[in-house]
Amino acid sequence: MKTKILMVCLGNICRSPLAEGILTALVNPDNVVVDSAGTGNWHVGDKPDKRSIAVALKNGIDISRQRGKQFSTYDYEIYDHIFVMDAANYSDVIKLATSNTEKAKVSMILDEIFPGEAVDVPDPYYGGNTGFDNVYAMLHTACEKIVSGLAI
Ligand code: 4NP
């Protein structure tokens, strides 16, 4: 059985598509499936933000074929781990859990680097390219930690 991992942010066009692309590039696809979703529905069917596509490409990763999806309660049945980008995503996702087993699947992605500190991945949507570079660097470090923690 493959380990299934879902990355979640608000719009599913800036942060979680990057997290999906980075983790996908770091794992063996025979063992791990990675996807992403947003808690909001504004960008369902959309490509990632141009700035996320650009920063990924600068680092050798093509995320341009991803399309926006909205997180749903059904995702709890599919995925083993759900990594959220910030505290607002955490409360929106946890609200849809129907058991403690489901709740235990959810964690903030930067807990991988700063355990228990509830550090947010800042939303870069309203900023410039530097914000996207920062987000990329944080997510890359976090994804390396996720890979080293996977028992595969
Ligand atoms: P993301 O950023 O959650 O990292 O994808 C956002 C992108 C778009 C919106 C909000 C956050 N929006 O409100 O459209």
Side-chain angles (χ1 to χ4, degrees), residues 6-140:
L6 186 68
M7 302 296 192
V8 176
C9 63
L10 176 59
N12 192 211
I13 55 168
C14 295
R15 293 166 293 175
S16 60
L18 278 176
E20 176 188 337
I22 293 166
L23 187 60
T24 300
L26 292 174
V27 297
N28 179 341
D30 292 340
N31 298 332
V32 185
V33 173
V34 189
D35 207 341
S36 65
T39 56
N41 65 0
W42 311 283
H43 297 287
V44 170
D46 290 355
K47 285 186 178 193
D49 187 283
K50 284 193 178 73
R51 297 163 294 178
S52 281
I53 293 176
V55 75
L57 213 51
K58 201 161 83 174
N59 289 279
I61 296 173
D62 180 7
I63 63 167
S64 66
R65 283 185 292 276
Q66 295 182 28
R67 294 295 179 268
K69 292 175 289 299
Q70 185 174 25
F71 180 80
S72 85
T73 184
Y74 177 59
D75 291 321
Y76 275 115
E77 292 176 34
I78 301 174
Y79 295 97
D80 303 301
H81 302 287
I82 298 168
F83 290 103
V84 298
M85 301 296 129
D86 64 31
N89 307 150
Y90 186 85
S91 64
D92 288 339
V93 166
I94 281 286
K95 264 185 238 160
L96 297 176
T98 57
S99 67
N100 286 335
T101 309
E102 290 184 355
K103 284 183 186 169
K105 294 182 175 187
V106 188
S107 62
M108 288 182 62
I109 194 166
L110 293 187
D111 271 11
E112 298 294 318
I113 313 173
F114 311 108
E117 292 185 34
V119 181
D120 289 344
V121 179
D123 189 341
Y125 188 58
Y126 294 106
N129 289 330
T130 317
F132 283 79
D133 284 328
N134 288 339
V135 165
Y136 186 93
M138 285 175 200
L139 291 177
H140 188 258

